[in-house]
Amino acid sequence: MFEREIEDFLEKLRTRREFLKVSGKGIVGITVTASVLNLLGCSNPDVGSASAFVTAKGILIAERNKCTGCQRCEMVCTVANDGKVHPLISRIKISRNFNYGDEITDNYRNEDGYFGNFLMTPETCKQCKEPKCAESCPADAISLNEKLGAWTVDKDKCVGCGACAAACPWHMPTIDPESKKSTKCILCGACAENCITGALKIIPWEEVAAMFTRKGYRFS
Amino acid sequence: MSKITGWTGKMLRVNLTTGSIAVEDTMKYKDFIGGAGIGYKVIFDEVPQGTKAFDEANKIVIGVGPFTGTGVPCSGRTNITSLAPTNPYNAITDSHMGGNFGAFLKFAGWDAIIVEGASKTPVWLRIEDDKVSIEDASNLWGKGVIDTTHELNNVMGKEACIASIGQAGENLVHLSSIVNSVNHSAGGHGGVFGSKKLKAIGVRGTQAVHIAEGKGQEWLKLNEYMLKDIIGANNQHVVPSTPQPWAEYHDKGSRWTAQTALFWGAAEPKVETGECPAGDKNKVGLRTQKAIFDLGPVAEARTIKMGGCHSCPIRCQSNLKVPELEKYGLSGYATSTCIGFINPGTVMVNGFSDGEKQGEVALIAKSLGSRLADDYGIWSNYGQLGRDFKYSYQSGKLKEVLPKEEYDSIPWDLVESGDPGFLVEFYRRIALKEGEFSKLGLGPYWLDKEWNLGKEYWTGYGNNVWSKMAFPKHHSNEAGAQVGVLVNVMFNRDANSHTHMNMIGAGLPIEILKEVAGEVWGSPDALDAPNDYTPMNEYKAKFAKWSLDRNFLHDSITLCNWVWPMTVSPSKSRNYRGDTALEAKFFSLATGIETSEKELDLAAERIATMHRAATIKEMETIDMRNEHDIIPEWVFIDSKNPDAKPFTPGTVMLDREDMQLALTMLYKEYGWDEKTGAPTRATLERLNLKDVADELEKLNLLPK
């Protein structure tokens, strides 16, 4: 079972990486299992509390058991990309999950958030296989940037209509009220680089390859 | 000059008597930076002499400075300035809370809120960016902080940050707080909200806080430098608490508790703090495992994670799993601010049923008390509430002053047996003002007026009361000899100042600390070795003034004085030198106004002097030396060793004449009148406070 999980993951990974390198077609989403997370050196075998995404730079892992809600990822994101602090347009979202998790329920004192069990989930752009943000854009402003390996907004084309934000199932892109342009993650990595507990981290491809090789798996 | 950033430039003025809401320009207060600085000036200018804390004429200023919201590490603070009901003269104080409120206020586009007047019926203030309204709070009156917050989040959305009072503030309990984000509480001014019938302020912001144009990359570099080279752990402790291969020094008192095989044990899966060596910015948030520091080894298995304020990489608050609290009708999760665990512990005057100060019962009791105090909005008065109860109970005073029926209704068996359930009774009676017992919530001065606590209460070292301003000591003679005393002398509530303490307690050998002292204040003699004091000298006066000024600066800019300033660092390659110019470097990047450390220190001195001027106006005397700056007797007595002499090894007692010299030297450093300790016209004018000098002269409160 374990072997099959790893092989399956590697197969998908190859395809995904090819996709990130060269084109926006022919990719399947990647489910990261507990076994794979362990193999990647992640201490978090509970996939319910860790999320992992394959990006151009490496594998981005967000572990909510380590997130302390300081919200510095949001600040660093917007200073790096926009030259200002603006959580609303941050490409990583944590503030909105801080108090009560996804939603307020009557049982809030026992559910996610600082008013509950203290757990909060950092949400990141998944750089989808078939991104709804790009599909919905009436100005064709969102396209795959091969250098960055990320779906990227062309500011000159963006009309700030908000269709991308509405179409994204996780509402990750946001329209900057000042510039009237869509803000969307370009995998700059500033959030992970500055996370104070390592709750967000990008494992570079070199390290991913080394880990798999060490365990006897072929990685190309 | 380039565009000024950092500040939003706008302040709200809300009059609850008339219902008017106005917008004002922050920049007229630019010389006072923000937060407390603005608060002192507004109260000085606008609140008439003789006003009491709960009078309609009192005002309350809720403000932040140019740092909050800009992501400067440890800047998630909100400052609240008003007259204080606990102070014998109802003199000005500022209280402070962390959490998210301050940053969210900035994101809504506001630097401060000035609340004046008083509503006849309960109201709350709703702020959604530029849209501000006064709303009916009749349905919230009588509710605790958590329920109030939940109800207002249902109205404003789950992301809004709510600052609220609990029942204690509503009932004008002197020791009451304003609380946001569960456990971030500003102590002492909850009753002022209550007197204005203001239940809460809700803030939701969608705007940017700008830093200086084109300085984003510099901001990131400065942030990196601070996190890698300068910052340590909670209270800027810069050495680990245990020996570690990478560390040259360790100190068991350090709050840098991270180590191999130490976990956030209730995290799923659990998280190892591990070693967090200097230079690794991705582990700064793991360094302070505060639960085991506050509650002992039993807390490790219950630690879900550490929490803290917006923007702060030092996570100093413990988030715990305590299912035993369900027995008391609470959720099974607990958290606290730093004093929150200590005070419930001191209330349990007979210890805990298992006999362990840091055992499971103590943990449950402290968690329970912390949750109750935060929900009722009760202020611990820096732990004094518990000490006042202890004194009143153990001296027999409570039995003497409480009506028999009331005394007999108190379940003393619970406190005697160390059962945490006593805290349910304790906090409810105080918050709801039930009976004579609730007078414990008046604070030392007014409690003494009611119960005549006696000389022993005031002079007993363990009682910690700072006469005659009647607040608890806060890092006093035991912390830096005369320096600690001078820091305590200047305030109208507990000093809340850690500038000196963080440096003294950093964990480095005294030789290194003395070298640093020499570089910052001109001579290693500014600092004595612990319990081995020398007579007063001018460098200690400089150290004391700097400590005070940085504290006033931090409350204005707004930064956490539990971590800042960065006098030392954990970096061996820097020879453990910190960077005292960091505030100025961040200030330049935040505001776009190129500002040196010296210039910022001058602004800090202006704010400190403004606080002094406001105190003089409220006390209606210039004789601060004899009316305000009184040093309690216990500073000059060594209760453990009655034969001890000052300035001999092994005692922290000080000498009366030497402390008078210390006051003179401090006044001299400030350019205040050396006889009275009141600022002179020349000094006020040097600090661009001519209008303040004019007002004081008009009131006959300027030294001749």
Side-chain angles (χ1 to χ4, degrees), chain B residues 98-118:
Chain B
N100 279 321
F101 189 85
F104 282 33
L105 189 66
K106 289 286 276 289
F107 297 136
W110 304 102
D111 292 314
I113 310 165
I114 302 168
V115 180
E116 55 192 24

Side-chain angles (χ1 to χ4, degrees), chain B residues 598-611:
Chain B
K598 200 175 161 193
E599 287 167 320
L600 210 54
D601 279 346
L602 185 70
E605 186 181 346
R606 178 180 302 118
I607 296 164
T609 302
M610 194 64 236
H611 177 268

Side-chain angles (χ1 to χ4, degrees), chain A residues 43-45 49 64-72 75-76 79-80 83-88 96 98-105 108-110 114-119 177-178 192-198, chain B residues 69-71 73 100 107 146-147 149-150 153-154 158-160 181-183 206-211 216 219 223 264 268-269 271 281-285 305-306 310-313 315 317 319-320 331 333-335:
Chain A
S43 64
N44 199 340
S49 59
R64 72 186 202 140
N65 62 333
K66 286 185 183 168
C67 174
T68 65
C70 70
Q71 301 158 64
R72 292 194 63 79
M75 297 165 218
V76 172
V79 170
K84 59 188 179 187
V85 178
H86 199 171
L88 178 80
R96 67 188 187 187
F98 184 88
N99 286 335
Y100 299 98
D102 282 344
E103 58 178 326
I104 313 180
T105 72
Y108 69 95
R109 290 191 200 210
N110 295 303
Y114 207 69
F115 284 78
N117 61 17
F118 306 114
L119 295 178
E178 292 179 328
E193 197 186 321
N194 286 280
C195 178
I196 57 161
T197 58
Chain B
T70 57
N100 279 321
F107 297 136
I146 299 293
D147 279 347
T149 305
H150 179 230
N153 275 127
N154 276 330
K158 68 188 171 84
E159 289 171 59
S181 305
V182 180
N183 62 317
T206 65
Q207 302 173 47
V209 174
H210 289 265
I211 58 173
W219 184 99
N223 173 59
W264 297 350
E268 292 179 7
V271 174
K281 64 180 178 174
N282 299 121
K283 290 190 172 173
V284 174
K305 58 175 63 170
M306 291 297 127
H310 190 270
S311 90
C312 188
R315 313 308 281 168
Q317 297 175 12
N319 300 162
L320 305 175
S331 87
Y333 301 99
T335 183

Side-chain angles (χ1 to χ4, degrees), chain B residues 677-690:
Chain B
T680 61
R681 172 171 284 281
T683 290
L684 291 165
E685 292 194 359
R686 174 175 64 82
L687 296 169
N688 295 337
L689 297 173
K690 182 179 178 304

Side-chain angles (χ1 to χ4, degrees), chain A residues 40-97:
Chain A
L40 290 171
C42 172
S43 64
N44 199 340
D46 178 0
V47 287
S49 59
S51 49
F53 308 102
V54 175
T55 76
K57 289 192 172 179
I59 296 183
L60 169 64
I61 297 178
E63 293 177 83
R64 72 186 202 140
N65 62 333
K66 286 185 183 168
C67 174
T68 65
C70 70
Q71 301 158 64
R72 292 194 63 79
C73 52
E74 293 180 337
M75 297 165 218
V76 172
C77 167
T78 58
V79 170
N81 289 289
D82 312 287
K84 59 188 179 187
V85 178
H86 199 171
L88 178 80
I89 65 167
S90 171
R91 294 129 186 100
I92 176 156
K93 312 278 190 194
I94 181 66
S95 292
R96 67 188 187 187
N97 299 325

